[in-house]
Amino acid sequence: MIFGISPQALMSQLLVGLINGSFYAMLSLGLAIIFGLLNIVNFAHGALYTLGAFVAWFLLEYAGIGYWGALLLSPLVVGLVGALIERTMLKRLHGLDPLYGLLLTFGLALIIQGLFLNAYGSSGLPYSIPEALSGGRDLGFMFLPNYRAWVIVFSVAICIATWYVTERTRLGSYLRAATENPILVQAFGVNVPWMITITYAIGVALAALAGVMAAPIYRVSPLMGSEMIIVVFAVVVIGGMGSIMGSIVTGFALGVIEGLTKVFYPEASNVVVFVIMALVLMVKSSGLFGKAA
Amino acid sequence: MIGGRSWKSVLVFSALASSAAAQMTDNLVKIGVLNDQSGLYADLSGQGSVLAAKLAVEDFGGKVDGTPIEVIFADHQNKPDVGSNIARQWFDVDKVDAIVDVPTSSVALAINEVTKSKNKVFLVSGAAASDLTGKACSPNTVHWTYDTWALANGTGKAVVKAGGDTWFFLTADYAFGQALERDVTAVVKANGGKVLGSVRHPLNASDFSSFLLQAQASKAKVIGLANAGGDTINTIKAASEFGIVKGGQKLAGLLVFITDIHALGLKVSQGLQLSSAFYWDRDDKTRAWSKRFSDRMNKREPSMVQAGVYSAVLHYLKAVQSLKSDADGKAVVDKMKQMPTDDPIFGKGSIRVDGRKIHPMYLYEVKSPAESKKPWDYYKLVREIPANEAFRPLSESECPLVKK
């Protein structure tokens, strides 16, 4: 017995925490990329996560395309929407205080959420777990649904791949260089404005991907993004704004901490993340993995 | 405070004087629908309740004794402070005469106090806590559609009688969840069952797998869901994924609305038993009314909360008509209690001295996908709970209005 609960129960709660953490990690990863490379505080991230789930639902409902197709198509569609937003709106705010971008994307989030709320109501729409991943296996200490196992594996893979691309490849080095000194990079013949657009599109495509993955677990609901976004911002702040590795690690870690709170003091489970945020900011204001400003 | 009190007595006096002159205050009967317009309870109340109130006004002819009726609405965001601020503004500035609906028991209990202090009328349809006609009862409040005692007595009792004698609760951590857990616990114990434990989760928690694993570990035969709306939907969905029911435990959705079933789909929710005061497909009258509703509501069928709003507003207007005044809230509610209730969707009924509206409740079971023949064809009747058994008897009431 550890703190009054059995090791089996503790193991299962850790695992459940990791599953929730994978959503935090994927969402905060997109935010970190967008902030780190573009200096935009993308408040529309939650709404685009919602949009990702809805696109999956539309694909199933109107085109008969199931989960696997949606996993590919929905991020593409939302990525294009993101590119459109960047080209037509965010681009105009380039060079201004990040606060303007925050206000713009916050407004967009409210519009997207309001439109879906009006059309589909707040309780959401059902979306089934794909046949191949239904059921689960008995791990001895818990019954693990196959779909949740898939969520962990897939999101870890996505996180590592994203980290690798930005930190270890030529494309990533262009991106990082463009944020340091856009004029110089442009002088080398790199089309910096398009690179910014593509980065934003990739960031929101990650949100859409998380949305598709969340659809079978929760439901496709207009409120799913706004329920998530505040926690995810807390994750980004704790990890350090713009730090990609930081957001991945903190995402998973906070999922686990929140999961444990649900066992030891469930009433506090929706505030624990913010308590940690306050503590971290008091000790290290740039976040755990952030560079000091 | 003395100034406040004498000011109030002046108000009451002038109200009495004007009611003697048979007048409506401000030449307008104004009904405020206050509920969740954008959150987890918006589908079961929300704009649907506003429409239901408007339908009642239309059926009444749009006027009481020549005075026009107006319906307004606001979003209380499920927060008691937001709700009571709106209520104060409605009563003091906007000349609202009656507040209707108010899901989220913590908000309803706050409005209950505000309404009493302003001597207006409060018609509860959305909130469930049986305290509203128990120790918090008020001469200005009528609790219309259902309450936690009725839910415990319906679903809770049925589940215990079917052999579910050990329970574990997943409880929404606020007035409603706590009241429901309390009332169901009493029923479980009275019928020889045992409660093994409970976990209190925050309102609007998105992931329930952690709480469900705790319930699973308790080895209770029944997991009682003392939550509502989006929380219930997410719990049932996660329970199906984690194989809780396949593992031999039974889920008891203590408060399930038709809008929840719609969001879950029948594949996940089939076989679930639930108590409801209203189902759109019960008889010709409910079907006719529901058609009017769904034609104007994006083809969504009404929940029992929305149906209750219609029925309550209609009866309120009848009482105002009969008094020829809306000025004195307590007098209007007294009149509502004297008059028998009668409308197409709740049938004949009455309102007790404690403010409890009395009508039959129904125990339904959710159909399987094969049994469902048309959109929103979700329930089959298990048992009708007659009006005299459906609600807490006055002899058990803690309400000070009940003379013993």
Side-chain angles (χ1 to χ4, degrees), chain A residues 226-241:
Chain A
S226 61
E227 284 162 7
M228 203 75 151
I229 190 72
I230 303 296
V231 177
V232 171
F233 263 107
V235 170
V236 173
V237 170
I238 296 169
M241 289 294 281

Side-chain angles (χ1 to χ4, degrees), chain A residues 83-137:
Chain A
L84 196 71
I85 292 173
E86 206 284 328
R87 280 270 120 181
T88 54
M89 291 179 252
L90 282 170
K91 195 171 155 224
R92 294 162 198 275
L93 303 179
H94 196 69
L96 292 175
D97 192 303
L99 204 58
Y100 288 90
L102 187 153
L103 286 175
L104 175 77
T105 50
F106 185 57
L108 280 173
L110 290 180
I111 292 170
I112 295 172
Q113 181 181 324
L115 286 173
F116 279 117
L117 205 55
N118 203 32
Y120 296 99
S122 68
S123 28
L125 305 155
Y127 192 92
S128 301
I129 290 173
E131 266 325 300
L133 293 174
S134 61
R137 60 196 68 226

Side-chain angles (χ1 to χ4, degrees), chain A residues 13 122-123 148 218 262 267, chain B residues 39 43 173 210 214 237 241:
Chain A
Q13 296 295 348
S122 68
S123 28
R148 303 244 176 178
Y218 308 117
K262 283 176 178 167
E267 289 88 341
Chain B
D43 275 357
D173 190 22
S210 173
Q214 297 177 49
K237 213 166 168 185
E241 207 191 333

Side-chain angles (χ1 to χ4, degrees), chain A residues 268-283:
Chain A
S269 57
N270 60 345
V271 291
V272 63
V273 170
F274 304 102
V275 173
I276 293 173
M277 181 177 86
L279 290 175
V280 167
L281 287 181
M282 272 155 64
V283 178

Side-chain angles (χ1 to χ4, degrees), chain A residues 34-76:
Chain A
I34 293 172
F35 183 79
L37 302 178
L38 276 66
N39 221 17
I40 295 169
V41 181
N42 187 33
F43 243 89
H45 216 67
L48 293 165
Y49 160 81
T50 310
L51 187 64
F54 265 98
V55 170
W57 187 82
F58 291 141
L59 285 170
L60 184 66
E61 194 72 8
Y62 300 112
I65 298 171
Y67 178 81
W68 301 106
L71 210 53
L72 185 70
L73 286 175
S74 172
L76 267 177

